[in-house]
Amino acid sequence: MISAPDVVAFTKEDEYEEEPYNEPALPEEYSVPLFPFASQGANPWSKLSGAKFSRDFILISEFSEQVGPQPLLTIPNDTKVFGTFDLNYFSLRIMSVDYQASFVGHPPGSAYPKLNFVEDSKVVLGDSKEGAFAYVHHLTLYDLEARGFVRPFCMAYISADQHKIMQQFQELSAEFSKASECLKTGNRKAFAGELEKKLKDLDYTRTVLHMETEIQKKANDKGFYSSQAIEKANELASVEKSIIEHQDLLKQIRSYPRRKSKGSDLCSRETEYTQDRPSQAATTSDPEESADTDRYTCRPAYTPKLIKAKSTKCFDKKLKTLEELCDTDYFTQTLAQLSHIERMFRGDLCYLLTSQIDRALLKQQHVTNFLFEDFAEADDRAVVRQESAPAEPSQDRPPSRSLEKCPIPQVLISMGSYRSSVESVLIKMEQELGDEEYKEVEGTESGSFDPQDNLDCLDMDMKGSISSGESIEVLGTEKATSVLSKSDSLGSLTVPLSPQVVRSKAVSHRTISEDSIEVLSTCPSEALIPDDFKASYPSAINEEESYADDGKGAIHFQVGTSPPEPGEAEEGSVENTPLQTDASCCIGKETGGPQGPLSSPALTLSDEEGVVSTPPQRSRQKDQGFHVDFAMENSNLSSRDHSSEGFPAYELDPSHLLASQDDSKTSLDDYSDSTSCVSSVASTSSDRMPSSAHPTGPSSERHKKRAGQNALKFIRQYPFAHPAIYSLLSGRTLVVLGEEEAMVRKLVTALSIFVPNYGCCAKPVKHWVSSPLHISDFQKWKLIGLQRAVSPAGTGALHALSRYSRYTSVLDLDRKTLRCPLYRGTLVPRLADRRTHIRRGSTYYMHVQSVLAQLCAKAFLYTFCHHLHLPTRGREAEAAAASRQASFLQLSLGLVNEDVKVVQYLAELLRLHYTQEHPGAIQPTLRFDYVPSFLYKI
Amino acid sequence: MLRWLIGGGREPQGLAEKSPLQTIGEEQTQNPYTELLVLKAHHDIVRFLVQLDDYRFASAGDDGIVVVWNAQTGEKLLELNGHTQKITAIITLPSLEACEEKNQLILTASADRTVIISLNPEPSEIAMVTKGPVWDCDTGRQVQKVSCFQSTVKCLAVLRRLDVWLSGGNDLCMWNRKLDLLCKTSHLSDTGKKSSLWLSVRFYSMNWISALIEIPKNCVVAAVGKELIIFRLVAPTEGSLGWDILEVKRLLDHQDNILSLVNVNGKLIVYLFIYYVKFCTYIHDLCLDLSFVTGSHVGELIIWDILDWTVQACEHNFWDPSPQLDTQQEIKLCQKPNDVSIHHFTWDEENIFVAVGRGLYVYNLQMKRVIACQKTAHDSSVLHVAKLPNRYDIGSPWCFLSLICSSDRQLISCSEDGSVRIWELREKQQLAAEPVPTGVYLCSERVNKQASHPVKKQQENAILFSLELIGDLIGHSSSVEMFLYFEDHGLVTCSADHLIILWKNGERESGLRSLKLFQKLEENGDLYLAV
């Protein structure tokens, strides 16, 4: 045993309570210069050091029709988080890259305004001056009072770490889509309600007008109408028209779920809604109104108001807040989701990636992972397992629990185009297309047909942009493609290369540039679905309706795009460089300009049509608005990116430093893609109860940290920590005996990280007991905190303890003794090295986890090695099998002495767990050995 | 070692470790029970365990419920409610060979003066038709209740040959399978004039039949107080229509109330009254004369000839003060009847194993003397003794070894002190200064073991045995009432702490689980055999 002098230093009573263990200061000459940003509390690896905000946050902004882009709220709602970061400025920037061709108005050939169910656009944007990078999620909400009935909003995840945004794009996109879906669902409801009220108002107004007209008619039966009467008639007519319009709008908004709900919305209410919908839709195909109205009218009676003929002009009225736009419930749900996102992506990228890999790997180890994993995670996994089963049949649909409830087959089909897989398939296709395109493009411009040269050109172009100071560049998008028709099943193909790789390459191009807002990537994957594209195209939402011809479309487009003047103006004021410069450095310019009209027809492959057929009109009014340019550039750029897919990363981009990193990323991405289904299921499942489940997240993290810290303390303080830990690992109940409850609880919590679990329920740990123990307690609990009391009951407890001494190890906190069997293995010393250099609780916790994972692997091998446990030849003596097992444990697994028992115990738990039909139904038996115990003292 | 005797007062329970005599450390290499399962269902003392078949057993106790368990998994199979008071006797009524259904009936007698027949859980159940049937809605099993008893039924016996069962209380009743009362003796207190003699004896309760066993010639022996009464059951013939029970003989050789009656036919017929009775043994085997054994409260063990009902052998000096002992000692012993009473005994071909007070004695039938003993086997009274079957049973190809392995005889005892101990009867290698028990050596103040040395010398030619403690099972916190040994599934113990514990051989269980695992793997199609 360890001699006393070793121990003395750690045996002070009070030290146990203290925080870690302070190193003596280093001598001057050894000290390393301090990290310059250390004062900000940042570590040297933190990219945050340059940014004006202390950590990542989520910003919700609105493009207000009254004041322009404005920040609405941040999550976390704490001014310390974003510090001096200029939210107004950043809102301006992120709102300026909205690609949503959101448009409501009178489309050609239609008498009524049409709602446009625009898919959200997802953009990555960087501002290296601010040190801020953002994932920007644009969405449009409907507001009857707003211009064009739409209110553009965006949610942005702002981080100082560009790689984080890029690499977590998929996850961010998925999570924000959920939040957005929630908002939009609430908004649709609210909008429908608003429309109904409006309709009632109009109806009322009409009756009033009718009455007035009748009165007038009666008043003068002269046969001619007074001007007043004519005015009234006009008014009536306009009201009638307005009613029809609004009815149409209502019909449109109500028809949404049938067409579009992809089951991806996380609002359960929406699910109910969609469930009801199809049945109604099926019965009453056209006159849905009747069915719908009774759905919507069963709300508190609304007293209609008279509507003035002249609508007030909007600048003086107060716009609805976001909360008013959506249902309050939905709004709070969204906020919960957003704060969940914030928590989910908190921390360093490498941490996020590691934990993601970790989670994914753990999921695969479903046989052993119950042993030492956390209860919360286990719970999570249980949900996952339960969910992944139904998700399997159609791989490519986005995992969502509402799916399971959703019985509509066509909805599932429309979901068939799952983002990541679809995108990557597209990439492959693009590769060929892109090359073609390039040849044409470059043929006109530079005359070079070598794609490699093109790339150089592009690089040069980009370098040019550095000199140009501030510029907006679009480096890549994946929008270009609306390839898949609904029935297309390409999406289910596996993915050779993840789009993330593409994006990260695109990023690496830009690392040099400064002072520019970079739109690094957009991923409005909705564009992949033809319907959606149509929807975003200025046209009616009704598919049956014939398309307007291009000319008319153009006109309307013009109308639609002209309003954002103010935004553009502001944008212009921000930009030093004239727009022209901007355009010149935009790679897409060449195609976008003169080439557009020609090249796009050339490229009119059916799938490209959606995107490329628009430029002609836009090119005519090039300075219409930024987003037009962007969209155009996007299409080209993305194709460029895709074309570059064929080349190895270093060829593409000799300048970038992260080639090796990219490789690893690729593998990672491959991995994550191959398990994309599972992992995304996981992510959904983890959000499923945003309000209830989330608070446990950080607390359990803190819990781990503290447990690790206390365990570390225990190991340092007690020289007999090894046999104690051995007891826990080998399934012998450890009783921590002490007078002071807090101390006992603390130690029990700390030691619980070593306790193997029975199943997916809570660990067999009892923190505090004051009554005498019974034999069944030892069967149930593997770690018990026991009160030492002077009362007779207390002596009873001690007495019981001595009676059952063969089942327990007893750690006496007051006397600092341990009574337990001897341990001579090598495993626990690795797990709990007294002289470890680990200082932090969380680090130690992870260390323990890794060693235990290794141990689990051994137990797994031992348990599932067929030849060890089953007789090889028909009849074989038991002794032979036993010796085989022993030699396997010792030679193959390298276990010595008591370590064997640890593995055997774990193997036993594995067997029980595997063979149990109902996990947790049967308690494992109490296993014990007849081995002598020893008394350890400090 | 005699501290507790001299010091008087019983030690508090649960202090097995403190016993100066027989303790075994934590290292018990021969103890196979390294796994236990605690079974909870009862709310009061669990007194009886009865084996139903290879893997099931029933438990019954003072809470009046009977629980059927799976001995392999520890699963509770069903719970039979019906009695309102504590159960005083339980026995199984085996199914008839003729009957296809494997239904087993469980007969339980209770202090609420009823006997309930429960259908035992084989899936197919016969509906039984009788007077006053009671349906147990909780379990869905049909339960029949007989409640025409004037007193508590203290014991039950089944005569398979005649397909009747007997209940013993204040009187002796004979029933058939359908719960028809076939015959009934008159109240025992009225039987004959002699009864007035013992009616006057201290305890009224002596009138109760405390134990019943079957002996040949359609006879049963009932233990009533100090007496053994032999009844003959008369089956209906052409001449007489009904059954009859005739009292044949009374044997009055015990000096005190009879505690034990044991039947050797394999089944224990058990039960009853805590103070007076326990067992009656009926030894019927190949090598010995037909005999039955009775044990009584003052430590007498009498072996009776089963045919002519004469005393074959009598061992009443387990505690009999030897001539050397002074009278004072005798008095002391008499003050502690518990220390000398025979609580239980069991037997095999050669020996009878007797639980006397806290000790265990092995009485050899051939030599007609005690060949081994462990005087303080437990801290307090030994309540149940059982001999584990020899590892090589007759019928197995290894039976010729049974003689060789006969020294491998293991004995299990449980006691009020809450522990269960496993003993091994070993042949002594040499004449060591170990106590060789003839009962002479006893609790004298002379603590020295050497004191008994001269006594031992007297049995030169005897093969000497000793009982070695090879393991103890500690789990119960109160007295262990009874245990049941399953060849394949280990040991079941029941206790006054309301618990039943299933003790298992950890290694074997582990192997079984492993097999199960691979079976499941194979079922799931996940098993790949390496080429």
Side-chain angles (χ1 to χ4, degrees):
Chain A
M1 252 2 274
I2 295 153
S3 58
D6 289 338
V7 174
V8 169
F10 307 108
T11 52
K12 277 196 320 209
E13 283 283 342
D14 50 349
E15 183 158 322
Y16 192 69
E17 297 292 326
E18 278 171 12
E19 270 316 289
Y21 157 109
N22 291 319
E23 283 270 285
L26 275 175
E28 191 71 32
E29 59 269 30
Y30 295 119
S31 65
V32 182
L34 283 174
F35 179 61
F37 298 103
S39 57
Q40 295 170 21
N43 55 21
W45 296 277
S46 169
K47 300 241 172 60
L48 299 174
S49 48
K52 288 175 177 167
F53 48 92
S54 57
R55 62 183 167 107
D56 300 358
F57 64 96
I58 294 170
L59 171 68
I60 299 182
S61 302
E62 185 203 355
F63 201 122
S64 163
E65 60 192 51
Q66 291 171 354
V67 294
Q70 59 169 355
L72 293 180
L73 55 102
T74 60
I75 294 163
N77 193 11
D78 184 2
T79 46
K80 268 182 273 175
V81 171
F82 50 87
T84 58
F85 186 69
D86 190 348
L87 292 180
N88 275 311
Y89 171 74
F90 205 76
S91 298
L92 173 65
R93 295 223 144 176
I94 56 180
M95 288 313 288
S96 66
V97 288
D98 186 2
Y99 297 105
Q100 290 182 303
S102 52
F103 170 76
V104 178
H106 292 262
S110 164
Y112 313 121
K114 291 290 176 190
L115 283 183
N116 206 339
F117 294 118
V118 187
E119 289 296 332
D120 304 346
S121 77
K122 297 150 190 185
V123 179
V124 173
L125 180 145
D127 186 342
S128 37
K129 192 172 86 182
E130 294 278 330
F133 296 87
Y135 164 86
V136 187
H137 193 106
H138 293 279
L139 71 154
T140 310
L141 299 181
Y142 301 109
D143 184 357
L144 202 54
E145 289 155 22
R147 184 170 47 191
F149 304 133
V150 289
R151 300 270 300 268
F153 284 92
C154 87
M155 302 179 284
Y157 185 86
I158 300 167
S159 167
D161 186 359
Q162 180 179 352
H163 291 283
K164 185 168 171 180
I165 303 283
M166 291 322 247
Q167 300 202 353
Q168 300 294 313
F169 185 86
Q170 292 282 312
E171 291 78 10
L172 279 169
S173 157
E175 294 300 312
F176 272 103
S177 295
K178 269 180 245 158
S180 154
E181 217 38 65
C182 190
L183 271 183
K184 289 199 286 189
T185 308
N187 175 241
R188 276 195 298 275
K189 267 184 96 173
F191 187 61
E194 211 184 342
L195 272 172
E196 270 165 23
K197 285 180 188 170
K198 185 71 182 281
L199 271 175
K200 278 182 186 153
D201 288 347
L202 285 170
D203 202 41
Y204 179 68
T205 316
R206 185 174 58 180
T207 28
V208 170
L209 282 176
H210 260 299
M211 277 164 61
E212 284 176 6
T213 328
E214 289 304 309
I215 291 167
Q216 279 184 355
K217 267 187 192 166
K218 277 174 193 163
N220 57 341
D221 39 356
K222 300 258 174 73
F224 68 93
Y225 298 108
S226 65
S227 63
Q228 200 187 3
I230 291 168
E231 199 179 306
K232 275 277 181 263
N234 282 340
E235 210 173 304
L236 194 59
S238 74
V239 167
E240 295 277 9
K241 186 174 174 250
S242 177
I243 286 177
I244 294 173
E245 277 177 11
H246 279 86
Q247 275 173 347
D248 194 63
L249 281 176
L250 189 61
K251 190 175 156 194
Q252 286 175 37
I253 196 82
R254 279 176 183 164
S255 68
Y256 175 83
R258 193 168 50 130
R259 291 182 59 252
K260 285 227 178 178
S261 87
K262 302 175 167 188
S264 58
D265 36 2
L266 76 169
C267 319
S268 51
R269 261 166 267 173
E270 175 68 3
T271 314
E272 292 162 22
Y273 180 69
T274 47
Q275 267 181 326
D276 289 353
R277 211 100 291 276
S279 57
Q280 289 178 3
T283 50
T284 63
S285 57
D286 188 32
E288 284 177 318
E289 301 292 273
S290 55
D292 283 341
T293 33
D294 55 50
R295 181 175 181 82
Y296 281 94
T297 44
C298 52
R299 48 181 68 172
Y302 173 69
T303 46
K305 296 188 293 272
L306 192 67
I307 292 179
K308 298 233 175 72
K310 296 275 193 310
S311 62
T312 49
K313 210 50 210 162
C314 54
F315 284 105
D316 50 343
K317 77 177 177 229
K318 186 180 167 291
L319 284 174
K320 287 196 185 72
T321 63
L322 187 56
E323 189 171 352
E324 285 165 349
L325 273 181
C326 315
D327 217 36
T328 312
D329 287 353
Y330 285 92
F331 182 68
T332 47
Q333 208 177 336
T334 309
L335 285 188
Q337 164 71 3
L338 287 177
S339 54
H340 164 61
I341 294 174
E342 194 271 323
R343 229 172 277 131
M344 193 174 164
F345 293 98
R346 196 182 282 176
D348 196 63
L349 175 64
C350 66
Y351 172 75
L352 284 178
L353 288 177
T354 320
S355 59
Q356 276 168 5
I357 295 171
D358 210 36
R359 247 178 284 135
L361 285 176
L362 268 179
K363 238 163 273 145
Q364 293 183 329
Q365 298 183 323
H366 63 273
V367 177
T368 56
N369 58 12
F370 71 93
L371 282 175
F372 290 106
E373 294 313 315
D374 275 2
F375 173 49
E377 288 172 36
D379 189 37
D380 227 23
R381 277 194 304 277
V383 174
V384 170
R385 219 170 290 146
Q386 160 206 332
E387 281 202 347
S388 61
E392 262 166 57
S394 67
Q395 285 184 339
D396 43 351
R397 71 186 147 130
S400 155
R401 77 214 149 91
S402 56
L403 259 190
E404 296 165 26
K405 299 176 201 156
C406 197
I408 330 161
Q410 62 261 41
V411 171
L412 295 186
I413 292 167
S414 79
M415 289 166 52
S417 50
Y418 178 44
R419 246 153 247 158
S420 75
S421 46
V422 170
E423 276 166 13
S424 47
V425 170
L426 292 175
I427 290 166
K428 279 173 80 183
M429 296 173 67
E430 276 297 313
Q431 206 169 313
E432 301 143 40
L433 296 173
D435 278 355
E436 261 185 335
E437 193 181 7
Y438 260 109
K439 282 167 192 165
E440 283 196 40
V441 169
E442 296 298 329
T444 51
E445 275 291 302
S446 62
S448 164
F449 284 83
D450 190 354
Q452 183 65 47
D453 281 1
N454 290 347
L455 289 169
D456 291 344
C457 277
L458 297 171
D459 263 356
M460 280 171 63
D461 273 344
M462 280 187 294
K463 275 161 198 156
S465 76
I466 302 166
S467 61
S468 72
E470 293 185 7
S471 62
I472 296 178
E473 293 177 30
V474 179
L475 291 181
T477 107
E478 282 150 39
K479 184 170 182 170
T481 45
S482 53
V483 181
L484 288 191
S485 63
K486 261 187 186 175
S487 56
D488 207 328
S489 60
L490 275 176
S492 63
L493 294 176
T494 45
V495 189
L497 251 176
S498 158
Q500 289 177 353
V501 180
V502 183
R503 283 196 301 275
S504 68
K505 278 175 203 156
V507 174
S508 57
H509 286 297
R510 302 300 310 150
T511 46
I512 327 150
S513 71
E514 288 170 12
D515 299 333
S516 62
I517 284 195
E518 298 143 27
V519 178
L520 300 169
S521 162
T522 70
C523 186
S525 50
E526 295 75 17
L528 303 173
I529 305 155
D531 282 344
D532 297 334
F533 182 76
K534 281 175 198 163
S536 71
Y537 196 76
S539 74
I541 54 163
N542 297 328
E543 288 171 52
E544 314 85 50
E545 231 169 288
S546 63
Y547 245 49
D549 70 68
D550 273 357
K552 277 185 183 173
I555 292 162
H556 282 285
F557 194 87
Q558 201 168 357
V559 173
T561 43
S562 46
E565 288 294 340
E568 191 191 332
E570 277 191 45
E571 192 69 47
S573 67
V574 172
E575 302 281 315
N576 298 338
T577 346
L579 285 175
Q580 194 51 45
T581 323
D582 187 21
S584 74
C585 72
C586 284
I587 308 135
K589 180 217 155 198
E590 294 87 357
T591 17
Q595 211 59 36
L598 295 177
S599 64
S600 55
L603 286 172
T604 43
L605 299 159
S606 60
D607 39 335
E608 279 285 330
E609 189 165 17
V611 175
V612 189
S613 59
T614 39
Q617 298 108 44
R618 284 190 223 147
S619 62
R620 278 176 226 156
Q621 10 174 313
K622 207 158 51 175
D623 42 358
Q624 265 295 310
F626 277 103
H627 60 285
V628 177
D629 268 343
F630 286 144
M632 193 167 56
E633 285 149 12
N634 278 349
S635 65
N636 293 320
L637 263 176
S638 66
S639 58
R640 185 210 65 157
D641 254 352
H642 299 324
S643 73
S644 64
E645 278 297 310
F647 304 103
Y650 55 88
E651 250 185 282
L652 254 183
D653 218 349
S655 62
H656 83 71
L657 308 163
L658 304 166
S660 59
Q661 201 181 321
D662 262 357
D663 285 346
S664 64
K665 265 180 235 152
T666 312
S667 63
L668 186 77
D669 291 335
D670 280 346
Y671 164 72
S672 69
D673 263 338
S674 65
T675 58
S676 65
C677 187
V678 185
S679 64
S680 38
V681 170
S683 61
T684 24
S685 68
S686 60
D687 322 321
R688 63 176 346 183
M689 289 163 294
S691 46
S692 62
H694 294 153
T696 62
S699 72
S700 78
E701 195 72 27
R702 208 180 312 128
H703 170 257
K704 277 182 199 171
K705 198 169 152 186
R706 295 196 55 189
Q709 188 63 56
N710 288 332
L712 205 53
K713 251 187 253 171
F714 171 73
I715 290 158
R716 292 219 174 92
Q717 189 179 6
Y718 292 93
F720 47 69
H722 291 176
I725 292 171
Y726 161 70
S727 283
L728 292 173
L729 286 177
S730 61
R732 188 181 171 111
T733 304
L734 179 70
V735 178
V736 179
L737 189 64
E739 272 178 52
E740 208 179 311
E741 181 172 355
M743 243 166 84
V744 172
R745 276 183 181 277
K746 202 164 146 191
L747 188 57
V748 168
T749 315
L751 289 176
S752 65
I753 63 176
F754 300 107
V755 179
N757 214 341
Y758 293 153
C760 286
C761 44
K763 284 206 170 192
V765 174
K766 184 89 179 159
H767 285 82
W768 184 248
V769 182
S770 47
S771 55
L773 296 170
H774 278 277
I775 186 81
S776 47
D777 294 325
F778 304 120
Q779 190 181 335
K780 218 185 302 172
W781 311 113
K782 291 296 164 200
L783 177 59
I784 304 175
L786 180 68
Q787 181 181 29
R788 178 206 298 281
V790 266
S791 64
T795 57
L798 288 183
H799 180 73
L801 205 56
S802 74
R803 177 172 172 79
Y804 296 123
S805 61
R806 68 176 55 167
Y807 307 115
T808 58
S809 301
V810 182
L811 177 63
D812 192 327
L813 269 188
D814 304 325
R815 290 176 198 159
K816 307 238 181 279
T817 58
L818 173 73
R819 193 183 163 283
C820 83
L822 192 65
Y823 176 72
R824 291 158 302 173
T826 57
L827 190 111
V828 178
R830 254 194 306 142
L831 192 64
D833 184 6
R834 286 188 64 217
R835 293 177 176 78
T836 178
H837 295 292
I838 297 172
R839 293 276 173 273
R840 296 167 69 97
S842 50
T843 320
Y844 182 69
Y845 183 84
M846 285 184 211
H847 169 71
V848 170
Q849 287 284 309
S850 74
V851 175
L852 291 180
Q854 223 174 343
L855 187 61
C856 287
K858 284 181 179 174
F860 177 81
L861 270 182
Y862 173 68
T863 316
F864 286 90
C865 264
H866 185 259
H867 71 279
L868 289 178
H869 303 283
L870 298 184
T872 44
R873 293 179 299 281
R875 216 172 240 273
E876 196 184 29
E878 281 177 24
S883 73
R884 261 206 315 268
Q885 288 168 19
S887 72
F888 179 80
L889 285 168
Q890 280 172 13
L891 302 177
S892 306
L893 297 182
L895 301 167
V896 286
N897 299 330
E898 279 78 16
D899 292 343
V900 170
K901 278 186 184 155
V902 173
V903 171
Q904 278 174 338
Y905 174 67
L906 296 183
E908 216 52 58
L909 291 181
L910 286 181
R911 277 177 205 139
L912 269 175
H913 188 256
Y914 190 85
T915 49
Q916 258 172 27
E917 276 86 20
H918 318 289
I922 304 170
Q923 276 187 359
T925 54
L926 171 61
R927 285 171 61 80
F928 50 93
D929 294 306
Y930 296 102
V931 288
S933 287
F934 296 89
L935 190 68
Y936 296 89
K937 288 177 185 166
I938 280 189
Chain B
M1 112 182 194
L2 298 175
R3 183 167 51 96
W4 51 268
L5 253 188
I6 301 154
R10 265 174 56 189
E11 298 271 352
Q13 287 175 357
L15 288 177
E17 293 87 348
K18 285 189 183 173
S19 164
L21 180 61
Q22 274 289 338
T23 49
I24 182 162
E26 281 166 325
E27 210 163 355
Q28 301 173 9
T29 48
Q30 282 180 283
N31 190 343
Y33 301 105
T34 55
E35 212 175 283
L36 65 82
L37 204 56
V38 179
L39 312 180
K40 280 185 194 165
H42 288 282
H43 320 297
D44 208 336
I45 300 175
V46 189
R47 291 192 190 276
F48 307 114
L49 294 173
V50 56
Q51 183 169 355
L52 301 177
D53 52 27
D54 286 345
Y55 71 103
R56 286 178 309 175
F57 66 94
S59 62
D62 287 3
D63 54 2
I65 58 172
V66 178
V67 183
V68 179
W69 302 90
N70 182 335
Q72 192 181 355
T73 60
E75 213 178 329
K76 182 167 131 183
L77 296 174
L78 53 108
E79 189 176 309
L80 305 167
N81 298 297
H83 287 296
T84 54
Q85 288 184 40
K86 67 179 189 178
I87 289 170
T88 51
I90 181 170
I91 195 168
T92 59
L93 197 57
S95 55
L96 293 171
E97 284 81 0
C99 225
E100 283 134 37
E101 286 89 353
K102 288 284 172 195
N103 281 297
Q104 215 172 9
L105 299 178
I106 302 173
L107 281 146
T108 49
S110 158
D112 60 7
R113 299 186 181 188
T114 58
V115 169
I116 290 184
I117 295 194
S118 327
L119 257 178
N120 191 19
E122 283 303 334
S124 57
E125 287 154 14
I126 324 169
M128 306 213 29
V129 198
T130 42
K131 50 199 170 187
V134 174
W135 280 90
D136 187 340
C137 297
D138 284 349
T139 59
R141 248 147 293 273
Q142 196 178 26
V143 171
Q144 288 171 304
K145 191 183 251 180
V146 188
S147 50
C148 49
F149 298 99
Q150 274 125 42
S151 71
T152 307
V153 174
K154 300 292 184 184
C155 55
L156 295 165
V158 171
L159 304 182
R160 288 194 70 175
R161 232 161 2 98
L162 301 173
D163 195 26
V164 294
W165 58 276
L166 302 165
S167 65
N170 253 342
D171 45 14
L172 185 68
C173 301
M174 182 161 56
W175 309 81
N176 70 5
R177 191 173 274 272
K178 290 183 177 159
L179 288 187
D180 297 321
L181 180 62
L182 299 174
C183 187
K184 185 177 174 182
T185 62
S186 49
H187 213 258
L188 281 178
S189 52
D190 304 332
T191 53
K193 288 169 188 170
K194 277 183 190 171
S195 63
S196 58
L197 266 180
W198 49 266
L199 245 181
S200 61
V201 186
R202 295 162 293 191
F203 300 106
Y204 173 73
S205 55
M206 301 188 97
N207 304 335
W208 290 343
I209 296 175
S210 55
L212 264 179
I213 59 159
E214 182 192 6
I215 55 173
K217 300 192 228 165
N218 281 358
C219 289
V220 290
V221 181
V224 184
K226 283 182 191 177
E227 277 188 321
L228 287 177
I229 307 176
I230 296 168
F231 295 100
R232 174 164 289 149
L233 309 176
V234 184
T237 54
E238 295 82 31
S240 66
L241 280 173
W243 291 78
D244 202 5
I245 300 174
L246 302 173
E247 185 183 325
V248 181
K249 188 169 185 182
R250 289 184 180 234
L251 308 168
L252 278 158
D253 290 81
H254 276 294
Q255 291 177 0
D256 204 344
N257 298 313
I258 295 166
L259 267 173
S260 310
L261 277 175
V262 180
N263 180 327
V264 165
N265 248 359
K267 298 249 158 39
L268 298 180
I269 305 183
V270 173
Y271 308 126
L272 250 260
F273 195 47
I274 310 166
Y275 278 113
Y276 295 99
V277 190
K278 285 263 166 114
F279 304 93
C280 204
T281 318
Y282 154 42
I283 295 176
H284 177 224
D285 63 38
L286 304 170
C287 51
L288 288 171
D289 297 331
L290 298 174
S291 56
F292 68 90
V293 184
T294 57
S296 88
H297 215 317
V298 285
E300 296 166 304
L301 183 74
I302 302 177
I303 299 165
W304 303 80
D305 188 288
I306 207 154
L307 295 172
D308 56 9
W309 311 316
T310 54
V311 176
Q312 275 202 333
C314 175
E315 183 74 33
H316 52 86
N317 55 352
F318 289 113
W319 295 96
D320 205 14
S322 63
Q324 292 101 318
L325 288 176
D326 49 352
T327 48
Q328 186 198 353
Q329 181 61 36
E330 202 172 353
I331 290 162
K332 190 170 270 175
L333 284 173
C334 294
Q335 287 166 344
K336 297 171 168 292
N338 248 356
D339 291 338
V340 292
S341 61
I342 296 175
H343 288 101
H344 187 234
F345 51 80
T346 185
W347 67 93
D348 65 358
E349 292 82 1
E350 304 156 34
N351 300 316
I352 299 172
F353 305 94
V354 197
V356 183
R358 306 166 200 210
L360 284 177
Y361 292 81
V362 182
Y363 180 84
N364 191 293
L365 288 169
Q366 271 173 333
M367 287 185 275
K368 298 197 176 177
R369 64 180 184 84
V370 172
I371 57 165
C373 89
Q374 193 55 256
K375 259 188 33 55
T376 46
H378 283 273
D379 266 340
S380 51
S381 300
V382 179
L383 294 178
H384 198 87
V385 187
K387 188 193 155 290
L388 297 190
N390 282 339
R391 209 158 291 171
Y392 303 106
D393 284 327
I394 296 172
S396 85
W398 303 99
C399 68
F400 67 92
L401 282 175
S402 64
L403 292 174
I404 304 165
C405 298
S406 62
S407 64
D408 192 25
R409 277 170 298 198
Q410 288 189 352
L411 202 62
I412 298 179
S413 63
C414 67
S415 150
E416 281 179 2
D417 64 9
S419 68
V420 177
R421 295 185 161 205
I422 307 166
W423 308 86
E424 194 170 279
L425 187 63
R426 287 186 187 144
E427 247 176 84
K428 272 238 181 90
Q429 297 304 315
Q430 54 179 21
L431 293 174
E434 287 293 313
V436 176
T438 54
V440 183
Y441 165 67
L442 209 110
C443 30
S444 68
E445 271 92 338
R446 284 159 278 168
V447 183
N448 268 338
K449 289 179 179 177
Q450 280 72 21
S452 63
H453 198 69
V455 184
K456 185 179 57 207
K457 279 275 172 77
Q458 294 165 2
Q459 296 106 23
E460 317 75 30
N461 54 351
I463 312 165
L464 296 176
F465 293 90
S466 67
L467 278 173
E468 297 290 330
L469 181 64
I470 60 166
D472 60 347
L473 307 177
I474 295 174
H476 289 292
S477 55
S478 187
S479 101
V480 181
E481 296 289 325
M482 196 184 168
F483 60 87
L484 204 59
Y485 176 77
F486 281 86
E487 188 84 34
D488 295 328
H489 309 300
L491 195 68
V492 188
T493 57
C494 67
S495 155
D497 61 6
H498 313 175
L499 298 180
I500 296 169
I501 296 184
L502 198 53
W503 303 85
K504 286 170 170 268
N505 183 333
E507 258 175 63
R508 184 154 75 180
E509 291 298 314
S510 175
L512 289 175
R513 275 193 289 266
S514 200
L515 276 179
K516 201 173 154 198
L517 174 97
F518 287 111
Q519 269 169 15
K520 191 171 176 188
L521 268 178
E522 204 163 0
E523 278 166 26
N524 296 354
D526 293 334
L527 186 63
Y528 304 101
L529 294 177
V531 181

